[in-house]
């Protein structure tokens, strides 16, 4: 399933950019994140875009409990997001919520870039973010986000309309998740 998932969802991520569909996504809200997730994974998961109903964990970390997930998402929606630090804090909280059964990271990185783009005129050049440093910073971010601030701030670019930056970001995002069989440049 991983190869098929990677192929189909990478194609959808390119469509999101090439067809300008990202311009219609509500920025900075769970509704917007859900729209991204639904679009990326519509061919892969029957639950695409739907809030998970089961508890999940990764390693020793348990994400927000399903019982409280809807309430947590409403709180995250109301978090301020006018500055870089506020945006990253909101991103960290959305990651802790982890609202979907699968595909959270890939959807949330696009969501983050849309938020940075609208609020600050910037986005992350994900190809400049080391996978191991990023995953470690994300793991520690619920306790202290400083490491994540520094890591992502060093990779910010104002090339928000550059398809190449977007494509590199999608490719890197899949590599963070251990999915690198398909080169986005060959699609």
């Amino acid at each position: 399933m991983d190869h098929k998932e990677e192929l189909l969802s990478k194609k959808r991520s390119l469509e999101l950019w090439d067809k300008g569909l990202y311009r219609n996504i509500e920025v900075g809200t769970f509704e917007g994140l859900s729209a991204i997730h639904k679009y990326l994974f519509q061919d892969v998961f029957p639950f695409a875009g739907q809030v998970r109903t089961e508890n999940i964990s990764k390693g020793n970390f348990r994400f927000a409990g399903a019982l409280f997930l809807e309430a947590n998402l409403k709180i995250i929606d109301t978090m301020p997001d006018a500055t870089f630090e506020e945006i990253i804090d909101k991103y960290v909280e959305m990651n802790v919520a982890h609202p979907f059964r699968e595909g959270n990271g890939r959807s949330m990185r696009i969501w983050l870039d849309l938020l940075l783009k609208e609020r600050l005129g910037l986005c992350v050049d994900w190809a400049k973010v080391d996978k191991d440093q990023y995953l470690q910073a994300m793991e520690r971010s619920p306790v202290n986000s400083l490491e994540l601030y520094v890591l992502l701030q060093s990779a910010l670019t104002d090339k928000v309309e550059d398809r190449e930056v977007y494509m590199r970001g999608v490719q890197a995002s899949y590599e963070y998740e251990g999915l690198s069989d398909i080169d986005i440049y060959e699609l």
Side-chain angles (χ1 to χ4, degrees):
M1 182 61 161
D2 286 346
H3 184 78
K4 184 178 177 182
E5 173 188 332
E6 183 181 0
L7 174 66
L8 295 173
S9 61
K10 273 186 177 175
K11 283 183 177 181
R12 291 294 186 181
S13 67
L14 286 177
E15 288 176 10
L16 198 64
W17 177 269
D18 290 339
K19 293 181 178 181
L21 301 174
Y22 68 91
R23 290 184 177 101
N24 301 322
I25 293 173
E26 187 174 321
V27 174
T29 66
F30 172 70
E31 184 176 324
L33 177 60
S34 178
I36 294 166
H37 189 272
K38 185 174 184 172
Y39 195 81
L40 292 182
F41 298 107
Q42 64 185 305
D43 306 311
V44 180
F45 303 134
F47 56 82
Q50 298 174 14
V51 176
R52 65 181 164 82
T53 57
E54 58 280 314
N55 292 325
I56 60 172
S57 61
K58 192 172 196 175
N60 292 327
F61 187 82
R62 292 185 58 85
F63 296 106
L67 182 62
F68 306 105
L69 192 51
E70 295 276 354
N72 287 350
L73 293 171
K74 288 177 183 174
I75 292 168
I76 295 167
D77 274 353
T78 66
M79 289 178 68
D81 55 23
T83 68
F84 176 75
E85 291 78 10
E86 289 173 347
I87 291 169
I88 299 305
D89 288 344
K90 192 170 194 172
Y91 176 63
V92 167
E93 291 303 317
M94 190 62 82
N95 185 60
V96 171
H98 237 63
F100 312 111
R101 287 175 47 196
E102 296 287 338
N104 288 281
R106 289 166 280 169
S107 301
M108 282 192 284
R109 283 183 283 274
I110 292 172
W111 179 83
L112 172 62
D113 275 335
L114 292 177
L115 184 52
L116 287 166
K117 178 180 177 176
E118 182 166 299
R119 303 294 192 266
L120 305 177
L122 300 168
C123 67
V124 176
D125 186 342
W126 291 99
K128 294 180 180 177
V129 179
D130 179 79
K131 173 185 175 178
D132 293 330
Q133 289 179 339
Y134 170 74
L135 293 175
Q136 290 170 5
M138 286 301 291
E139 186 177 311
R140 292 187 279 265
S141 67
V143 176
N144 185 344
S145 300
L146 181 60
E147 185 179 1
L148 188 61
Y149 296 155
V150 172
L151 183 65
L152 295 184
Q153 193 163 41
S154 69
L156 290 176
T157 179
D158 62 359
K159 297 181 179 180
V160 296
E161 296 298 332
D162 188 324
R163 184 179 189 270
E164 182 67 21
V165 169
Y166 177 79
M167 287 179 61
R168 286 194 312 255
V170 170
Q171 186 70 21
S173 190
Y174 278 76
E175 289 171 4
Y176 296 161
E177 304 297 329
L179 298 168
S180 57
D181 291 343
I182 298 165
D183 188 339
I184 199 162
Y185 298 100
E186 295 176 6
L187 294 178

